[in-house]
Amino acid sequence: MIKRALKNINLLHSFECAARHQSYSKAAAELCISQAAVSQQMRQLEENLATQLFLRKSKSMLLTQQGKALLSGTQQAFKLLEKSINEITVEEIAGSLTISSTQAFTTLWLMPKLSDFSAQYPNINIRVMSSAQFEDLKEQHIDLAIRFGPRVKENTDSSLNCEYFGEDPVYPVCSEALTKKMDFKEPKDLLKTWLVSLENPGCYDWPSWFEHTNTQGYQEHQQWTEVHSTDMALNAVLNDHGFTLAARYLIIEQLKSGQLVMPINIPHPNVVKRYFVYDENSPKIARLNVFTNWLKQEMNATN
Amino acid sequence: MIKRALKNINLLHSFECAARHQSYSKAAAELCISQAAVSQQMRQLEENLATQLFLRKSKSMLLTQQGKALLSGTQQAFKLLEKSINEITVEEIAGSLTISSTQAFTTLWLMPKLSDFSAQYPNINIRVMSSAQFEDLKEQHIDLAIRFGPRVKENTDSSLNCEYFGEDPVYPVCSEALTKKMDFKEPKDLLKTWLVSLENPGCYDWPSWFEHTNTQGYQEHQQWTEVHSTDMALNAVLNDHGFTLAARYLIIEQLKSGQLVMPINIPHPNVVKRYFVYDENSPKIARLNVFTNWLKQEMNATN
DNA sequence: TTATATTATAAGCATAGCTTATAGTTGTAG
DNA sequence: CTACAACTATAAGCTATGCTTATAATATAA
């Protein structure tokens, strides 16, 4: 009995969950398995222990006295196990983190604010990598990827967490100096100057914006400048070179200082969704949480 | 990490064993699996935890600091689990037991001594069943079967314990009164009277005894009486009806009182081996142990 | 009565958990 | 030095466990 029960302790883990919820279907959801699996495991466990643990009562499961005793015991035991595993696997907060994101985000948002983070958390070293691709986190030893776009979740490996943390509109922006030379009152006025676009704009492309604003004639436009990343595009625009499309969070400071303006206040039809991609089972999870919480607060404060 | 480790706690169980022994092969022996399985489980666990637990050192396994910490934690946790399971599954000593054995044993040995047991353990109720077959313990709700013979072990289901607890010789016996009417000086003298045999004597049959004693002419013997069980055979013999073959432990009291004698002190070539057959995982294991220990002591005291 | 929300059961598939076989390593004895 | 013993590590393959989906059963509410 005892030997047989201790031969498959995983059943006890499922039991703790089902007993806590007093519901197989809730346990199934928590354990990410089917209700039928839970039902069969509990049947197996009751058989192994030759003891009834649940009283079936219509749509819920009351616990027998034995069930209650076993719940108490298993909870204590698993708490000990979890604590023990934590002690040997989870790193303390002090240490290093490797962050990967787009060149635009790292250059325009993260690097300017990193000193704030480092002042607040001097024991956490941040290493920043920029890339336009979705690299393999494990291969590149990346602890956290900050990614943008509409398909991040679908393109993220199922073993990783993909945590949405907000979204921003995208607008056409140009320098204030340029508005002093030319009038921009409606969308079609943008066709009077250069339009800076990305090599791979994805769904944040100029044609979508023009269609969204019912602007005719953009197909015949000749003054296109194509660049590799948004920070390069913004660099060109800051030097009076026409318009580019940019997410508002990236240019908050330049909008405040007046360097950049949004003459046409019509957002792109597609918003930029932001995600953290990380492994929740990483030993660095404690440190990761510190960083992501700080970033989320900074993002909220400046938006 | 933690989630993944807690998804398969059975690995931790194997770990506790391997870490305690600091040896995969010893753990394998204790767990009744192969060394290769242990090796692979430990590799899997180390991978799940992304932590080295063992330092391979020639023919043994030293524990890392993490390994030591995890050993400590797992031992505490499993002790809790075992205690918890014990509490809900193992019955206390007071209660009932169902014992099954041969009619001869129950009638001649057990029933006469049962009052002694009951006086000593008034809180244990014994229900006795006699049968010549090896019944299914589970189906018949038998807690303990006491079985005799040379092939008990082979005929016992592998899920049950088969515990040898001694053996006895078998002798030809008759009443003292009969020896006053007839002389029995050598084995062939037994052919002058009735020989009581069992319907199913197994290997404890008269022909084997006569062959063993190099006795001629038993094949022509005409005075055979066939009965169903040894207690019936002994009943006939106690009433001066010839000889029967009986295990010595069954007739100790009658030999002492002189009712029965063994004129020819040559044992049967096959001894009677005695076994307890029970489920070591039975909730009644504590009570079972009380009974079997008492029985063993009684058997030793009277032999 | 039907609809809903749960648990229970059956049948089938995939993979986890073993096995056997073998390779690799170390220590010891002759 | 070689041979051997005693371990652990790894690979390949098989079987049983652990799931899944589909459906049955049951209780409750409308």
Side-chain angles (χ1 to χ4, degrees), chain B residues 97-101 127 129 137 141-147 161 275-279 288 291-292 295:
Chain B
L97 278 179
T98 301
I99 316 283
S100 165
S101 194
R127 173 177 162 236
M129 296 172 57
L137 263 68
H141 303 289
I142 295 163
D143 302 309
L144 174 70
I146 303 161
R147 293 177 177 162
N161 282 57
Y275 299 87
F276 293 130
V277 178
Y278 60 97
D279 178 4
L288 263 178
F291 183 79
T292 53
L295 196 152

Side-chain angles (χ1 to χ4, degrees), chain B residues 153-214:
Chain B
K153 209 153 194 103
E154 292 87 339
N155 291 328
T156 297
D157 194 88
S158 63
S159 66
L160 298 173
N161 282 57
C162 190
E163 182 186 332
Y164 168 83
F165 71 103
E167 62 195 45
D168 283 87
V170 176
Y171 292 95
V173 298
C174 70
S175 69
E176 187 185 41
L178 191 62
T179 59
K180 294 216 163 84
K181 298 185 197 170
M182 305 170 94
D183 267 353
F184 300 110
K185 287 208 164 51
E186 43 197 337
K188 72 177 182 187
D189 292 338
L190 268 63
L191 297 174
K192 301 187 291 189
T193 188
W194 293 91
L195 299 178
V196 188
S197 78
L198 301 180
E199 285 174 6
N200 298 296
C203 64
Y204 313 110
D205 59 331
W206 276 110
S208 298
W209 187 78
F210 282 123
E211 293 290 344
H212 181 63
T213 54
N214 296 312

Side-chain angles (χ1 to χ4, degrees), chain B residues 172-178 194-197 206 230-246 259-261:
Chain B
V173 298
C174 70
S175 69
E176 187 185 41
L178 191 62
W194 293 91
L195 299 178
V196 188
S197 78
W206 276 110
T230 304
D231 60 328
M232 286 177 68
L234 289 169
N235 204 30
V237 164
L238 280 166
N239 287 285
D240 312 328
H241 187 81
F243 279 79
T244 194
L245 289 165
Q259 288 178 279
L260 292 177
V261 292

